[in-house]
C-alpha cells in the first residue's frame, strides 16, 4: 500500500451509503494518509460531521463561507494528492457534469489539480438512467476515475446494481491510482482474454470454458497502474467492467490473431491470457449441417499460434508473457513453452489445483522468466494474481 503521508480529500454526499464513509476515512488514516473530509449539507443528514472529524483528526469542511472565514477551495484542490467522492449521489454527479459549484465540495472539485476518483451510490433505476450514464461519461472524458458500483440490496428495498463499492475496494482503488506514477505509467500493453469460438456452421462452434476473468484482471491492473491497455477479448458470457480499456471483441483465433497483429508493434508489454483454440473446423458450412449418418467426421486444421508468431516479431525492448495450463510435467512443459514461443515470461497454472483455472475466481500460479527467474505464488483471487504477474514483469524489466 502506498498511502503513507498521502493527502486525501474525502468528499461525502447525501446518500445512505454515507455511513460507509466513516469506515473509508478510518481505513485511509490507518494506512498513514492525511484525510480532509468535505461534506455536502445533505450528507450531514446521513452521518454526523463529529464522527468524521474524530476519525480524520481534522475539522470537517462543508461551507464556502463560515461566519467570517472563507474556505480556500483553490488551495484545498492543490493541497490534495487525490480527491475521492464516496458516496457520489446522482445529484452531485449531475452538478459535477454540469460544472456547477454551489457548495464547497463542488468548488474544490472544479479547482482540483489532482486525480479525482468517484464511487457512485444510487438506486438501480437512477443508475441505469441515460442521464446518469451521460454524466458519468463526461466525468470519464475529463480523466476522472469511476469505481464501479456493486450489485446487492439497495436503500429502496430492491436488489440490483447501484451499491457503493465497499470501503476496502475504494482504499485499494485509491492506492492503485496513486501508484500510477510508477514504472508502468505511459506504457502500452496488449492483453488477450477469454476463449475463442471456431465456427462449424451458423449455430455450432468448438470452444472452451475460459471465462476471461484472469485476462481481464491483468488488463484492469495494468490500466490501474497508468498503462494504456488494448484488450482483445474473446466471446465471454460474464459482464465485465471494461471502463478505461480499449477493447476489441473477437470470436475466432484467426480474428484474435489479426487484432493482435494490428497493435503489437506499438506495445511495450503483451500478456496473452486467452485460451485460444488450437484447432478449428477445416471447412465452414454456410447452412446448418443436417443430422444424417450415425457418425460424422469433422476435419480440423491448426489455428495460428498467436503467441509464437508475436514471439518471432518481438523486439528486445518488448516484453511478451504467455500462459500455460498443464496437467503433467508442468515445469518442464512451461520451460519448453518459454523457449519455443520466444516469450519472456510464462505464467503456469496447474489444473491439478482445484482452486485454479477456468471459471474460478481464484488462481495459483508460478511465473518463469527467460533470465532464469521462478516465483511460485499461493492461491489468491485473480485480481491479486494479476498484481503478482505485473510485479514480476516490472521486476523482469528492471533485472
Ligand atoms: O501452446 P499452448 O496453447 O499451451 O500455449 C498457451 C499460450 O499460448 C497462452 O498464452 C495462449 O494465449 C497462447 N496461444 C496462442 N495461440 C494459440 C494457442 C495458444 O496465442 N493458437
Amino acid at each position: 500500500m502506498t498511502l503513507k503521508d498521502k493527502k486525501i480529500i474525502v468528499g461525502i454526499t447525501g446518500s445512505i451509503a454515507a455511513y460507509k464513509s466513516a469506515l473509508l476515512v478510518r481505513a485511509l488514516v490507518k494506512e498513514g494518509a492525511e484525510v480532509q473530509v468535505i461534506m455536502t449539507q445533505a450528507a450531514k443528514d446521513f452521518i454526523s460531521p463529529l464522527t468524521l472529524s474524530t476519525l480524520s483528526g481534522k475539522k470537517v469542511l462543508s461551507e464556502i463561507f463560515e461566519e467570517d472565514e472563507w474556505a480556500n477551495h483553490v488551495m484545498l484542490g492543490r493541497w490534495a494528492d487525490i480527491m475521492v467522492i464516496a458516496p457520489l449521489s446522482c445529484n452531485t454527479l449531475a452538478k459535477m457534469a454540469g460544472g456547477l459549484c454551489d457548495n464547497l465540495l463542488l468548488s474544490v472539485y472544479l479547482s482540483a489539480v489532482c486525480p479525482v476518483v468517484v464511487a457512485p451510490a444510487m438506486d438501480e433505476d437512477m443508475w441505469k438512467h441515460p442521464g446518469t450514464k451521460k454524466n458519468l461519461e463526461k466525468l470519464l472524458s475529463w480523466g476522472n476515475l469511476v469505481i464501479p458500483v456493486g450489485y446487492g440490496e439497495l436503500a429502496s428495498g430492491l436488489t440490483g446494481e447501484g451499491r457503493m463499492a465497499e470501503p476496502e475496494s475504494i482504499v485499494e482503488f485509491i492506492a492503485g491510482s496513486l501508484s500510477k506514477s510508477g514504472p508502468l505509467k505511459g506504457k502500452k500493453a496488449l492483453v488477450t482474454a477469454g476463449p475463442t469460438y471456431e465456427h462449424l456452421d451458423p449455430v455450432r462452434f468448438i470452444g472452451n470454458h475460459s471465462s476471461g476473468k484472469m485476462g481481464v484482471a491483468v488488463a484492469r491492473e495494468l490500466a490501474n497502474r497508468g498503462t494504456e491497455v488494448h484488450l482483445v477479448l474473446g466471446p465471454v458470457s460474464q459482464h465485465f467492467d471494461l471502463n478505461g480499456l480499449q477493447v476489441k471483441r473477437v470470436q475466432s483465433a484467426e480474428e484474435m490473431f489479426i487484432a493482435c497483429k494490428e497493435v503489437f508493434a506499438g506495445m511495450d508489454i503483451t500478456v496473452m491470457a486467452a485460451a485460444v483454440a488450437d484447432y478449428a473446423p477445416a471447412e465452414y458450412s454456410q447452412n446448418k449441417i443436417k443430422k444424417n449418418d450415425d457418425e460424422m467426421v469433422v476435419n480440423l486444421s491448426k489455428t495460428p499460434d498467436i503467441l509464437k508468431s508475436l514471439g518471432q516479431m518481438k523486439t528486445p525492448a518488448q516484453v511478451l508473457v504467455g500462459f500455460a495450463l498443464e496437467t503433467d510435467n508442468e515445469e518442464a512443459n512451461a520451460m519448453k513453452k518459454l523457449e519455443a514461443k520466444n516469450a519472456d515470461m510464462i505464467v503456469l497454472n496447474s489444473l491439478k489445483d482445484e482452486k485454479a483455472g477456468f471459471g474460478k475466481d481464484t488462481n495459483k500460479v508460478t511465473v518463469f522468466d527467460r533470465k532464469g527467474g521462478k516465483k511460485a505464488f499461493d492461491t489468491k483471487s485473480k485480481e491479486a494474481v494479476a498484481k503478482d504477474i505485473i510485479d514480476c514483469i516490472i521486476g523482469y524489466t528492471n533485472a
Side-chain angles (χ1 to χ4, degrees):
M1 203 71 71
T2 50
L3 296 180
K4 189 155 172 25
D5 299 328
K6 294 290 178 200
K7 297 182 177 72
I8 303 177
I9 290 177
V10 175
I12 305 177
T13 72
S15 150
I16 180 64
Y19 78 91
K20 292 193 206 167
S21 307
L23 299 172
L24 172 64
V25 170
R26 185 168 184 274
L28 292 172
V29 170
K30 239 179 141 185
E31 291 295 334
E34 192 181 340
V35 178
Q36 174 64 63
V37 175
I38 303 179
M39 299 174 84
T40 62
Q41 271 306 330
K44 294 182 189 170
D45 293 333
F46 292 92
I47 184 165
S48 137
L50 181 62
T51 306
L52 296 155
S53 61
T54 309
L55 290 170
S56 64
K58 271 185 196 290
K59 182 176 172 352
V60 168
L61 301 175
S62 194
E63 307 297 336
I64 301 179
F65 304 100
E66 245 169 292
E67 291 163 8
D68 57 350
E69 237 181 279
W70 174 62
N72 190 334
H73 56 84
V74 178
M75 288 329 284
L76 277 166
R78 285 175 177 256
W79 167 83
D81 293 309
I82 194 161
M83 176 177 192
V84 53
I85 304 180
L88 173 65
S89 66
C90 220
N91 182 44
T92 297
L93 166 64
K95 286 182 175 180
M96 286 163 78
L100 272 70
C101 56
D102 62 0
N103 62 37
L104 181 66
L105 180 56
L106 291 165
S107 312
V108 173
Y109 166 68
L110 284 176
S111 314
V113 290
C114 59
V116 178
V117 174
V118 299
M122 56 197 80
D123 254 288
E124 188 174 51
D125 295 336
M126 295 166 91
W127 172 247
K128 292 202 160 153
H129 193 281
T132 306
K133 294 277 163 240
K134 268 221 162 97
N135 289 336
L136 272 174
E137 275 162 24
K138 254 195 191 168
L139 263 57
L140 283 166
S141 75
W142 296 333
N144 298 160
L145 302 161
V146 179
I147 307 182
V149 296
Y151 181 93
E153 275 175 41
L154 301 166
S156 58
L158 298 172
T159 299
E161 277 178 48
R163 280 171 68 88
M164 183 176 88
E166 295 305 319
E168 312 86 71
S169 321
I170 300 178
V171 172
E172 214 176 282
F173 193 97
I174 294 171
S177 309
L178 286 168
S179 71
K180 273 189 177 163
S181 49
L184 296 181
K185 186 180 161 67
K187 299 268 185 217
K188 292 185 178 176
L190 165 65
V191 179
T192 64
T196 63
Y197 285 178
E198 311 302 329
H199 289 277
L200 200 58
D201 68 17
V203 289
R204 303 179 181 101
F205 60 83
I206 296 175
N208 61 66
H209 293 298
S210 169
S211 62
K213 284 180 193 164
M214 191 63 249
V216 169
V218 169
R220 289 191 57 86
E221 183 59 24
L222 282 164
N224 280 344
R225 299 200 201 187
T227 307
E228 177 188 307
V229 180
H230 297 254
L231 173 67
V232 179
L233 182 60
V236 288
S237 49
Q238 188 175 327
H239 173 78
F240 290 106
D241 172 39
L242 302 173
N243 263 335
L245 310 175
Q246 298 191 31
V247 185
K248 175 102 184 170
R249 303 296 296 248
V250 296
Q251 288 274 316
S252 66
E254 189 61 45
E255 285 172 22
M256 188 171 273
F257 188 32
I258 293 169
C260 288
K261 275 194 296 187
E262 260 170 30
V263 293
F264 179 67
M267 297 296 118
D268 300 293
I269 298 165
T270 298
V271 181
M272 312 242 77
V276 185
D278 291 318
Y279 290 90
E283 275 170 40
Y284 174 76
S285 168
Q286 295 293 339
N287 300 313
K288 185 181 168 198
I289 300 167
K290 292 268 178 251
K291 156 172 70 174
N292 290 323
D293 304 327
D294 286 346
E295 285 184 8
M296 179 184 156
V297 175
V298 177
N299 284 319
L300 301 175
S301 41
K302 243 189 173 160
T303 55
D305 189 324
I306 308 170
L307 180 60
K308 194 170 176 183
S309 305
L310 299 185
Q312 286 161 1
M313 298 176 202
K314 185 172 89 73
T315 66
Q318 290 178 299
V319 180
L320 180 60
V321 182
F323 273 67
L325 193 67
E326 303 290 342
T327 50
D328 47 63
N329 288 332
E330 298 167 319
E331 182 159 346
N333 284 334
M335 294 307 285
K336 252 193 235 163
K337 207 156 283 179
L338 193 65
E339 213 38 61
K341 309 218 184 194
N342 194 31
D344 294 284
M345 212 172 268
I346 289 286
V347 180
L348 169 72
N349 38 10
S350 165
L351 265 185
K352 280 182 191 155
D353 195 293
E354 62 177 42
K355 288 193 175 134
F358 282 161
K360 306 264 165 51
D361 288 324
T362 49
N363 206 358
K364 185 173 191 305
V365 304
T366 307
V367 179
F368 299 90
D369 73 46
R370 187 159 275 279
K371 294 175 186 165
K374 174 186 170 182
K375 268 196 181 147
F377 296 95
D378 293 335
T379 305
K380 295 180 181 187
S381 70
K382 287 188 169 168
E383 288 73 23
V385 171
K387 286 189 199 321
D388 289 338
I389 293 170
I390 291 159
D391 288 340
C392 285
I393 296 174
I394 295 170
Y396 176 80
T397 47
N398 290 339

